Amino acid sequence: MNLQNNQLSDEAFIHMYGVNPVEALSVYFLESVDIHTHWEWCDAGGTSQKAIQYKREAPFMTLVQAIERAELEA
């Protein structure tokens, strides 16, 4: 399955984020995410809703870019 053409729905992402946020971020941002990156995301004020907002505004945004944006908004 090509995730860029069939990305995880917002509802599925929110559910997955509640169960396993590291895996959810990996699938949603289409990149490998480790626990340290997840902590950076959380420390920056990152949430599942922010991830959805950012990806709607910039579909090819990376998680690092999302972390930087969240830090600027904090």
Side-chain angles (χ1 to χ4, degrees):
M1 175 170 71
N2 184 340
L3 286 174
Q4 286 184 323
N5 294 331
N6 190 8
Q7 188 164 6
L8 194 63
S9 72
D10 294 346
E11 295 78 18
F13 170 67
I14 291 169
H15 174 74
M16 183 184 276
Y17 193 89
V19 175
N20 185 337
V22 173
E23 181 180 357
L25 290 168
S26 295
V27 173
Y28 202 64
F29 283 91
L30 304 174
E31 61 189 81
S32 180
V33 176
D34 63 22
I35 190 68
H36 301 289
T37 307
H38 171 255
W39 288 335
E40 286 181 46
W41 171 244
C42 291
D43 289 345
T47 64
S48 59
Q49 294 301 323
K50 274 194 181 185
I52 291 168
Q53 174 192 342
Y54 294 170
K55 290 293 275 184
R56 282 185 181 158
E57 294 171 7
F60 297 104
M61 178 180 281
T62 66
L63 183 55
V64 169
Q65 291 169 324
I67 291 168
E68 290 169 354
R69 180 170 167 188
E71 287 172 342
L72 289 173
E73 292 178 354

